[in-house]
Amino acid sequence: KQEVTQIPAALSVPEGENLVLNCSFTDSAIYNLQWFRQDPGKGLTSLLLIQSSQREQTSGRLNASLDKSSGRSTLYIAASQPGDSATYLCAVRNAGKSTFGDGTTLTVKP
Amino acid sequence: EAQVTQNPRYLITVTGKKLTVTCSQNMNHEYMSWYRQDPGLGLRQIYYSMNVEVTDKGDVPEGYKVSRKEKRNFPLILESPSPNQTSLYFCASSPPPGLTYEQYFGPGTRLTVT
């Protein structure tokens, strides 16, 4: 059974810092890995999707990498802003099944 | 606008009273799925459907039913809701694995069973 772990569970940084969120998974036979953002009590906003054949994806200040062989992905956020405060979730797809990590709750202090 | 819609957005009901949460997508996606989100347990998959008339269990299917009679709709049915099904429910859809297979999520349905 696929298991997904996100470390750290919570992170607090001052505005302007660069930071890295980690996601690890146990079964490397994945179709893709997707990073989401969730604000309190709200839905999921897709940030980046990395196909199993890709190594990284970039969107603005966000960069996600994937090392399928080691079962790891990182989400790099450059020049963090208070508006980046949210919970970040990663999800892996194996055929029809999706498994989510528990998320990293990020607080960016002004 | 391409979107996944869920109805109702909020629902309070009593134990044992059958209910249906609807999910609809306008992107012609083959794949649809239901999740529940609970504090401390994260998002867990309930059921998914790879195409019309094809459904399969996720990690927590007990107490739920689904049907996929049309491509755009994937309702979640609780035949006899219990308090442990109080949760935030999300529906999602995606194109088939040959394409990006990116999931698009609905806004969520907050269900309270008393």
Side-chain angles (χ1 to χ4, degrees):
Chain A
K1 180 184 173 184
Q2 178 74 270
E3 293 181 3
V4 179
T5 304
Q6 291 188 244
I7 293 173
L11 182 62
S12 181
V13 301
E15 182 176 4
E17 264 201 18
N18 303 325
L19 58 101
V20 174
L21 308 181
N22 297 289
C23 172
S24 62
F25 48 95
T26 55
D27 183 354
S28 62
I30 64 171
Y31 278 123
N32 62 37
L33 185 146
Q34 197 168 351
W35 283 93
F36 295 89
R37 169 189 171 133
Q38 186 176 30
D39 293 291
K42 302 293 185 183
L44 279 72
T45 300
S46 180
L47 298 173
L48 288 165
L49 178 139
I50 311 177
Q51 304 283 20
S52 62
S53 59
Q54 296 175 322
R55 297 285 291 182
E56 66 179 288
Q57 282 287 336
T58 298
S59 176
R61 294 183 294 109
L62 305 179
N63 176 276
S65 68
L66 174 64
D67 184 344
K68 205 171 71 161
S69 61
S70 67
R72 294 180 184 176
S73 176
T74 61
L75 178 66
Y76 175 83
I77 302 176
S80 58
Q81 303 170 357
D84 295 330
S85 297
T87 296
Y88 292 80
L89 299 161
C90 68
V92 296
R93 299 286 294 274
N94 302 85
K97 288 203 168 186
S98 280
T99 307
F100 280 78
D102 288 339
T104 293
T105 299
L106 173 65
T107 303
V108 181
K109 296 176 286 187
Chain B
E1 181 190 353
Q3 58 182 350
V4 179
T5 57
Q6 296 178 225
N7 282 293
R9 295 289 313 282
Y10 302 90
L11 179 60
I12 301 174
T13 190
V14 296
T15 299
K17 185 177 181 181
K18 181 180 179 179
L19 67 92
T20 299
V21 183
T22 65
C23 174
S24 182
Q25 50 93 6
N26 62 2
M27 296 169 278
N28 202 36
H29 287 166
E30 279 79 4
Y31 178 94
M32 297 185 76
S33 183
W34 276 103
Y35 300 86
R36 60 177 291 173
Q37 186 175 35
D38 302 287
L41 296 174
L43 266 151
R44 295 175 292 168
Q45 193 172 33
I46 303 171
Y47 270 96
Y48 63 93
S49 170
M50 299 295 283
N51 213 327
V52 176
E53 302 292 0
V54 180
T55 63
D56 212 341
K57 297 177 181 178
D59 293 321
V60 288
E62 296 79 18
Y64 304 95
K65 284 177 58 177
V66 292
S67 68
R68 186 90 183 275
K69 293 183 171 52
E70 306 168 279
K71 201 173 189 179
R72 63 182 293 127
N73 296 321
F74 191 43
L76 179 69
I77 303 159
L78 285 72
E79 295 268 4
S80 182
S82 62
N84 64 13
Q85 292 179 297
T86 292
S87 187
L88 179 58
Y89 291 86
F90 290 103
C91 179
S93 73
S94 76
L99 301 177
T100 67
Y101 215 27
E102 179 176 4
Q103 287 197 86
Y104 298 82
F105 277 75
T109 295
R110 188 168 293 280
L111 172 65
T112 302
V113 184
T114 62

